[in-house]
Amino acid sequence: MKSDRLLSILLLLQTRGRVPASELARRLEVSTRTVYRDIESLSAAGVPVYAERGRHGGIALLPGFRTDVTGLTTDEARALFVLAAQGAHTALGLDDALGSALRKVMAALPAPHRPAAELTGRRILVDPDRWLSGPRAAVDLGELHTAVFTDLRLRIRYRHSGETRLRTYTVDPYGLVAKAGTWYLVADRRGRPRLFRADRVASAALTDAPVHRRPGVELAEVWQQLRREVEERPAGVQVTARIRRDRLDLAVRILGPALTGPPRTDPADAGWAVLDLAYPVIEAVRQLLQFSDSLEVLDPPEARRVLARAAASLGEIYGGEGTGP
């Protein structure tokens, strides 16, 4: 709606100062001509807005002009009170600031919107952690948080998965990303994008050197590139298994990251479903032992042998009298 667009322009100018018409058009997804028509409408309504042409020109408000209008709709007000990443505020030390900000927003809301916003905060809860993820190690984001905002290079001591020794890297941070309850540092190392889990950073120290990011590249772009590389990484082992249908829902929840497609009907027996799985190494198929005789690996033979050896070892442990009292 035009009224929403006019308010958006007003708030952008109030926040940013002088803004090129082309940028306003891009943000609002309209033409530059439409932006200039909107500026005329604001001016006619008494808003002291003006346009400067030229290389360093743009659209701006007269100095000192402010508006206290929030322009929030009911849905926008409710959205602010759905805290989709509560853990993020805690990790960044922003719990108190968040509470204070929401109190200020609540006070500024038009009276008709307040009950809906307050009720949303009490009725909607988003937990970013996955089921059965187990306790998470405490993560100190202090130095990482400082590095991404001070534009300085960072020296970290980092432990890779499966390794015990620490490696030292000097990196150029783009920012921090919280995904499914896990924090990541997104940075360039020697001009190439890298992803570092924050809970594997043993220590971090700022250097005196300014950060060297690739020109024109932002955090969101680097994150999408790294995310694609992780998600499209070819798995080392393709496994086909069948599972009893009464355990299928549980299996899909637990094995979700390893599944490469939806479950299929077993043509040999309607009481079973077929799963296509992918694992980085053959030994990882031991995960399937938790389903006992409710799951059978069909292929490859190497995976069947790994499970047979593991089952035999368990039989030796639990088949005797045991060593307990």
Side-chain angles (χ1 to χ4, degrees), residues 141-155 171-176 185 204-207 211 213:
L141 295 178
E143 204 69 10
L144 301 181
H145 181 266
T146 301
V148 300
F149 282 100
T150 55
D151 289 339
L152 293 174
R153 280 190 158 181
L154 187 67
R155 184 173 294 109
V171 299
D172 297 299
Y174 284 92
L176 296 168
L185 171 68
L206 294 173
T207 70
V211 71
R213 301 188 184 102

Side-chain angles (χ1 to χ4, degrees), residues 241-304:
R242 67 173 190 158
I243 187 163
R244 297 186 189 276
R245 283 199 167 273
D246 59 357
R247 303 297 300 278
L248 179 59
D249 288 345
L250 177 63
V252 169
R253 289 201 300 271
I254 294 176
L255 303 176
L259 289 172
T260 60
R264 297 179 283 117
T265 301
D266 186 349
D269 190 337
W272 294 73
V274 177
L275 303 176
D276 296 308
L277 306 152
Y279 289 101
V281 293
I282 192 68
E283 291 294 328
V285 300
R286 289 170 175 261
Q287 178 192 31
L288 304 177
L289 286 171
Q290 63 188 297
F291 296 100
S292 185
D293 59 356
S294 294
L295 182 145
E296 178 189 5
V297 168
L298 304 175
D299 195 62
E302 295 84 357
R304 293 176 62 91

Side-chain angles (χ1 to χ4, degrees), residues 195 226-236 238 278-280:
L195 198 59
L226 291 168
R227 179 177 175 176
R228 284 194 301 270
E229 290 176 0
V230 171
E231 293 177 345
E232 297 172 4
R233 182 181 301 162
Q238 302 292 328
Y279 289 101

Side-chain angles (χ1 to χ4, degrees), residues 125-148:
L125 175 66
V126 179
D127 186 342
D129 292 334
R130 295 179 56 192
W131 290 110
L132 307 176
S133 59
R136 295 184 180 275
V139 178
D140 182 6
L141 295 178
E143 204 69 10
L144 301 181
H145 181 266
T146 301
V148 300

Side-chain angles (χ1 to χ4, degrees), residues 50-101:
Y50 64 96
E52 287 186 353
R53 300 189 181 276
R55 181 179 178 183
H56 300 292
I59 297 169
L61 297 169
L62 286 179
F65 176 80
R66 302 287 295 177
T67 176
D68 293 328
V69 178
T70 65
L72 291 174
T73 66
T74 301
D75 285 345
E76 289 169 341
R78 291 173 60 199
L80 290 176
F81 287 81
V82 178
L83 308 183
Q86 289 115 327
H89 302 109
T90 301
L92 294 173
L94 296 176
D95 275 344
D96 291 341
L98 174 67
S100 175

Side-chain angles (χ1 to χ4, degrees), residues 191-241:
R192 296 176 62 86
R194 295 285 300 273
L195 198 59
F196 301 93
R197 275 185 58 145
D199 56 3
R200 293 182 189 154
V201 176
S203 65
L206 294 173
T207 70
D208 294 329
V211 71
H212 293 294
R213 301 188 184 102
R214 284 165 285 151
V217 178
E218 297 292 339
L219 170 63
E221 180 182 344
V222 183
W223 169 250
Q224 288 302 322
Q225 177 185 349
L226 291 168
R227 179 177 175 176
R228 284 194 301 270
E229 290 176 0
V230 171
E231 293 177 345
E232 297 172 4
R233 182 181 301 162
V237 181
Q238 302 292 328
V239 175
T240 302

